[in-house]
């Protein structure tokens, strides 16, 4: 009999009663009503008090009823049934919960099981104490997640000192650990300062708020340690107590999570753009070395962005090249728009180069007598630079990784210049980065995981426009006499943008690919998104024009 009722308790927990009721009453999908996989306050705001309280009440009844069933055999069995009903709520069988697998964290179930334990023999004062501590935690922190997590934590502590069986005490601690695991993202966001407090505006779309997401990754271990979730490991790595390889292996097992948020971006038409920063903490060499895992994580990141209420997700840095530059990610998650940000990145380069060339000539060096080098010329952005500067310089060096493609590109470039009647410079194609030693102007735009241009590659007095992310130019190059390194693809969004992470683009600035994500979300012109290796000229021009209209400024 106990075994049958135990299975029944699990199945009661697995019943998606709130989901069924809300779909029946409102016709809306409550799984997408929350910024963080459901939640009472989010459902309350999106669906109204009636559906929200109904869903909470049904969860409450599930928890209380299942625990009361176990309580017919004593408090010890009631505790075990509490674990089973919560387990059923979080991890229902597919055949029972098909179409409703995304569940909240079960705050209503947790409150209900407290009352079920009271009716099963938990003393009145202890029941009241659990609830008062949870309420006190809510009033003190204004975090509903913390208040909910206090319920199983306090229960586990109290039940450890009551005269119940050892396996019941173990069940209480397992219940707490299960809740702790389910609330881990909330705890991480509390540490990072991005978890909304009770009463604060939720980061959800509205008439005046545009919400998008952008996938980032640490460029170094120091970037990984920016997050309070991983900062504890920094001293252990520095002292040699934990190997870096162990941290990297752990990072490979972590699914995408929200690690930050950009706020305060105000467009010229009065709307606010909020951007969730998502990360699966893979380092550059892990992304390039394991493309299948990287594509899987990017797909998971896009799904998380959808659950967060976003209409667009951007792929930043090395994420932008995974899955055929986002194409496979879009195919896997068609419910959200995916962009690799290439169009506006190319647009910012196009906008910045005339000013750079003008300043170069003003320094007393005629362009027609100058040698320019373009590094990464096999890529779309770098070759766009080559096309822009070719008729203006005396000699052009194209550096890439595929000589055959470089030579074809050079031939096409010459034909286009001749057809337009423009000057044709001497063009050299090479795979050898050392060739740029002859250049007065160097333009670089690669996706290499580390610097590729060092002092031995650069002559004194050269100007370098670095579009690479991470930078292609090593910091030591800046120490050469007369050398000027100009960062590229940096944009300042309108308004007073704030965030909790250092993105390495300067205060109040973002990479152009992130700006494209914001602009795409604000304009809703999803047909302009950047996917795959091809970037259309009309899309580049679109983002340049709309960026200016919305108030975005290219940082030169």
């Amino acid at each position: 009999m106990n075994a049958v009722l135990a299975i029944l308790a699990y199945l009661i927990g697995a019943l998606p009663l709130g989901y069924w009721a809300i779909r029946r009453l409102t016709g809306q999908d409550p799984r997408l009503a929350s910024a963080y996989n459901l939640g009472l306050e989010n459902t309350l705001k999106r669906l109204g008090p009636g559906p929200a309280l109904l869903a909470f009440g049904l969860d409450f009844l599930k928890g209380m009823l299942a625990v009361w069933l176990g309580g017919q055999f004593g408090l010890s069995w009631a505790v075990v049934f509490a674990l089973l009903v919560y387990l059923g709520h979080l991890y229902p069988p597919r055949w029972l919960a098909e179409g409703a697998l995304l569940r909240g964290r079960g705050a209503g179930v947790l409150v209900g099981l407290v009352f079920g334990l009271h009716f099963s023999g938990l003393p009145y004062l202890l029941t009241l104490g659990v609830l008062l501590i949870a309420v006190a935690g809510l009033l003190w922190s204004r975090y509903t997640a913390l208040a909910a997590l206090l319920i199983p934590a306090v229960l586990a502590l109290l039940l450890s000192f009551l005269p119940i069986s050892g396996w019941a005490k173990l069940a209480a601690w397992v219940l707490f650990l299960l809740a702790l695991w389910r609330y881990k993202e909330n705890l991480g966001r509390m540490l990072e300062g991005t978890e909304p407090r009770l009463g604060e505006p939720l980061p959800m779309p509205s008439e005046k708020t545009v919400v998008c997401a952008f996938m980032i990754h640490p460029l170094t271990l120091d970037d990984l340690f920016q997050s309070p979730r991983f900062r504890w490991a920094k001293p252990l790595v520095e002292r040699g107590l934990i190997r870096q390889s162990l941290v990297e292996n752990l990072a490979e097992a972590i699914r995408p999570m929200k690690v930050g948020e950009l706020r305060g971006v105000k467009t010229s038409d009065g709307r606010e753009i909020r951007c969730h920063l998502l990360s699966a903490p893979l380092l550059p060499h892990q992304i390039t070395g394991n493309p299948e895992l990287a594509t899987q994580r990017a797909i998971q990141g896009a799904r998380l962005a959808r659950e967060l209420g976003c209409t667009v997700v951007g792929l930043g840095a090395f994420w932008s090249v995974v899955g055929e530059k986002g194409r496979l990610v879009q195919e896997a998650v068609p419910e959200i728009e995916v962009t690799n940000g290439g169009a506006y990145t190319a647009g910012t380069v196009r906008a910045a180069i005339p000013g750079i060339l003008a300043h170069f000539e003003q320094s007393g060096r005629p362009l027609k007598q100058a040698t320019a080098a373009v590094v990464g010329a096999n890529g779309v952005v770098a070759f766009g630079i080559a096309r822009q500067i070719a008729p203006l310089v005396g000699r052009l060096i194209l550096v890439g990784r595929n000589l055959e493609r470089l030579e074809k590109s050079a031939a096409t470039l010459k034909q286009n210049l001749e057809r337009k009647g423009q000057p044709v410079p001497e063009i050299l194609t090479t795979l050898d980065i050392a060739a740029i030693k002859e250049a007065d102007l160097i333009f670089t735009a690669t996706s290499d995981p580390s610097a590729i241009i060092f002092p031995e590659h650069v002559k004194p007095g050269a100007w370098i426009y670095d579009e690479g992310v991470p930078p292609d130019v090593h910091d030591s190059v800046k120490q050469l006499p007369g050398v000027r390194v100009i960062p590229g693809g940096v944009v300042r969004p309108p308004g007073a943008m704030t965030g909790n992470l250092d993105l390495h683009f300067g205060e109040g600035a973002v990479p152009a690919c992130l700006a494209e994500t914001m602009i795409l979300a604000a304009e809703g012109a999803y047909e302009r998104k950047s996917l795959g290796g091809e970037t259309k000229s009309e899309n580049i021009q679109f983002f340049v024009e709309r960026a200016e209209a919305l108030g975005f400024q290219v940082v030169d």
Side-chain angles (χ1 to χ4, degrees):
M1 177 62 75
N2 287 6
V4 173
L5 290 178
I7 295 173
L8 179 60
Y10 169 78
L11 293 177
I12 289 173
L15 290 172
L17 299 179
Y19 173 80
W20 288 338
I22 290 176
R23 286 303 297 263
R24 182 75 174 178
L25 290 175
T26 69
Q28 299 188 54
D29 189 344
R31 296 174 299 174
L32 302 177
S34 159
Y36 303 115
N37 299 346
L38 297 179
L40 177 62
E41 71 274 25
N42 299 330
T43 310
L44 183 67
K45 182 176 179 64
R46 294 297 301 276
L47 302 180
L53 294 177
L54 175 61
F56 183 86
L58 290 172
D59 283 349
F60 173 89
L61 289 174
K62 285 197 311 185
M64 185 173 67
L65 175 61
V67 174
W68 176 81
L69 285 175
Q72 304 308 302
F73 307 97
L75 183 57
S76 293
W77 277 104
V79 175
V80 174
F81 276 44
L83 171 60
L84 291 172
V85 69
Y86 191 58
L87 191 65
H89 179 81
L90 299 184
Y91 304 105
R94 288 183 176 273
W95 58 267
L96 179 61
E98 186 176 355
L101 290 176
L102 179 61
R103 292 296 185 87
R105 293 163 297 277
V109 176
L110 292 173
V111 176
L113 63 85
V114 172
F115 281 86
L117 289 173
H118 172 65
F119 295 133
S120 302
L122 186 68
Y124 170 77
L125 289 179
L126 295 185
T127 303
L128 183 62
V130 171
L131 296 175
L132 287 178
I133 290 174
V135 171
L138 176 62
L139 296 176
W140 171 71
S141 67
R142 291 170 52 212
Y143 286 129
T144 55
L146 181 61
L149 191 55
L150 282 172
I151 291 174
V154 176
L155 272 176
L157 284 172
L158 292 177
L159 291 171
S160 296
F161 297 98
L162 291 183
I164 59 176
S165 64
W167 43 266
K169 294 178 180 180
L170 177 62
W173 282 104
V174 172
L175 172 65
F176 166 63
L177 293 176
L178 194 62
L180 186 65
W181 176 255
R182 193 64 169 192
Y183 279 93
K184 64 184 184 300
E185 285 303 305
N186 301 79
L187 295 174
R189 291 191 293 264
M190 290 178 203
L191 292 172
E192 291 159 354
T194 60
E195 175 81 352
R197 295 178 187 267
L198 189 65
E200 289 183 348
L202 300 171
M204 296 293 288
S206 67
E207 290 184 3
K208 287 295 185 179
T209 304
V210 176
V211 181
C212 59
F214 189 72
M215 282 201 69
I216 62 176
H217 62 79
L219 299 178
T220 64
L221 274 184
D222 282 340
D223 282 340
L224 178 64
F225 296 146
Q226 274 197 62
S227 171
R229 306 183 195 209
F230 306 110
R231 196 171 295 156
W232 57 269
K234 183 175 183 179
L236 300 179
V237 173
E238 290 175 343
R239 295 171 187 170
L241 300 176
I242 294 181
R243 296 192 307 274
Q244 177 173 332
S245 59
L246 180 62
V247 177
E248 293 180 5
N249 290 338
L250 176 63
E252 290 184 356
I254 297 176
R255 294 168 62 94
M257 65 190 80
K258 178 180 173 180
V259 296
E261 190 176 311
L262 298 178
R263 308 176 185 178
V265 177
K266 291 290 183 68
T267 63
S268 56
D269 56 11
R271 289 177 295 166
E272 179 184 7
I273 301 176
R274 297 183 71 166
C275 183
H276 300 292
L277 298 177
L278 313 180
S279 178
L282 299 177
L283 293 168
H285 71 271
Q286 294 175 288
I287 294 176
T288 56
N290 193 341
E292 290 185 1
L293 175 63
T295 301
Q296 179 186 5
R297 291 291 182 258
I299 290 171
Q300 291 167 342
R303 287 174 179 152
L304 174 59
R306 171 61 175 155
E307 292 168 14
L308 293 172
C310 303
T311 55
V312 180
V313 58
L315 305 177
F318 282 84
W319 293 121
S320 65
V321 299
V322 305
E324 297 180 7
K325 296 190 174 181
R327 194 182 304 279
L328 297 181
V329 180
Q330 182 66 89
E331 291 175 359
V333 195
E335 301 85 4
I336 189 171
E337 305 297 335
V338 179
T339 181
N340 61 38
Y344 190 44
T345 299
T348 60
V349 173
R350 181 183 293 180
I353 286 178
I356 294 171
L357 298 181
H359 281 86
F360 184 82
E361 282 206 306
Q362 290 171 10
S363 69
R365 291 181 279 182
L367 283 172
K368 281 299 179 183
Q369 300 175 18
T371 295
V374 177
V375 181
N378 287 129
V380 174
V381 173
F383 188 67
I385 296 173
R387 286 186 297 185
Q388 192 171 356
I389 67 173
L392 305 175
V393 299
R395 187 164 180 255
L396 181 62
I397 302 171
L398 301 180
V399 183
R401 291 179 173 173
N402 187 313
L403 187 58
E404 182 180 354
R405 285 179 53 198
L406 277 179
E407 290 174 346
K408 288 182 179 179
S409 297
T412 301
L413 182 58
K414 288 179 181 179
Q415 291 173 2
N416 289 339
L417 292 174
E418 290 170 350
R419 187 175 66 251
K420 295 176 181 178
Q422 295 178 318
V424 180
E426 175 189 352
I427 300 179
L428 169 68
T429 57
T430 179
L431 306 181
D432 187 5
I433 191 68
I436 69 174
K437 183 80 172 182
E438 304 173 23
D440 307 290
L441 277 165
I442 300 171
F443 299 87
T444 178
T446 79
S447 56
D448 284 85
S450 56
I452 59 172
I453 298 177
F454 294 89
E456 61 268 24
H457 301 138
V458 181
K459 73 178 183 180
W463 284 25
I464 309 173
Y465 180 74
D466 188 355
E467 177 67 23
V469 179
D472 292 332
V473 181
H474 194 268
D475 280 343
S476 58
V477 173
K478 299 175 183 177
Q479 307 306 317
L480 293 175
V483 168
R484 183 175 180 184
V485 179
I486 305 163
V490 181
V491 178
R492 194 176 306 281
M497 187 187 74
T498 61
N500 62 311
L501 295 177
D502 180 6
L503 299 179
H504 304 301
F505 291 93
E507 186 176 353
V510 299
C513 49
L514 198 164
E516 176 174 319
T517 305
M518 292 180 171
I519 296 166
L520 194 63
E523 294 293 292
Y526 304 133
E527 71 280 2
R528 302 286 189 178
K529 63 189 177 187
S530 302
L531 273 182
E534 182 182 358
T535 303
K536 297 180 179 179
S537 297
E538 57 266 32
N539 290 346
I540 295 174
Q541 189 60 32
F542 168 82
F543 282 107
V544 170
E545 293 174 355
R546 295 315 304 159
E548 184 177 356
L550 292 171
F552 289 80
Q553 296 179 338
V554 178
V555 178
D556 58 22

